Amino acid sequence: MDVRDAEVLSRVIPSPMEKEIPRHVAIIMDGNGRWARQRGKARSFGHEAGVKAVRRAVQAALDMGLEALTLFAFSTENWRRPADEVEFLWRLLQHHLEKDVPELKAQGVRVLILGDREGLPGGVLEAIRAAEAETAGNRRLVCSFAVNYGGRRDITRAARELAQQVQRGNLRPEDITEALLEKHLATASLPPLDLLIRTGGEMRVSNFLLWELAYAEFVSLPVLWPDFEAQHLKEAIGEYQKRQRRFGGVGP
Ligand code: IPE
Ligand code: IPE
Ligand code: MG
């Protein structure tokens, strides 16, 4: 095969390096508690180590050129945990936002917070407000933290907003489409979700991004979240690139 043939072929069959990078990756950051227990430490120790993994994940997303990274930090169901763990998680989130926003800002990261703000401590609300305002002009990567987020709650909220518009006479029920409902979800400004990664090895979605997951690819990794490194993101994206997304069709 001469060089010209190779050139023609490489355009038809993309090499693994040229395969599509997902635009939007979401991660269920699970396994902090187990990681701490393996070391004979309190769960809070695992959560602290988890923050460092968040920094590595954001850096890896920047290096790989993702458009959006969405991280599940606290679910609407996580209030069931002991009060001291819940309080610790809020303090940790506030501290992380306050400490890391200058660096995120400098790197071109836009920070978004998804989820229900009702019931969050005042300090966390202020840190969220500042993080979003400080980074609003950034375009390189959107990094969203889902806090007090539940997929069901988000869809319910969207449905309620549409119902209110109908009640006011601004919308007809027959004009409610999938596209319109989507505009009312917390993720409305983000690209479509391509890949969901869950660390910690479980094979469930735990009420994350229920609507958005309709045609996302799912990769569950055995690594516990505090051990997450750039190589794990690469590995999951490599797995994603091997998949054939058919969206209900028959494929090529
Ligand atoms: C994920 O780790 C962090 C949060 C849910 C906040 P876990 O705390 O769920 O860790 P495991 O699953 O108990 O190991
Ligand atoms: C999902 O993890 C929520 C977050 C990672 C924030 P959980 O540990 O809460 O999920 P379950 O309880 O194993 O389903
Ligand atoms: Mg867990």
Side-chain angles (χ1 to χ4, degrees), residues 29-35 43 47 73-74 78 81 85 89:
M29 311 184 286
D30 198 26
N32 294 354
R34 279 163 280 171
W35 187 90
R43 295 176 58 83
H47 295 316
F74 191 94
N78 286 146
R81 296 185 178 206
E85 180 172 347
L89 286 168

Side-chain angles (χ1 to χ4, degrees), residues 28-30 72-75 78 81 198 202 204 206:
I28 300 176
M29 311 184 286
D30 198 26
F72 203 7
F74 191 94
S75 76
N78 286 146
R81 296 185 178 206
R198 181 169 186 141
E202 310 284 5
R204 56 174 171 265
S206 302

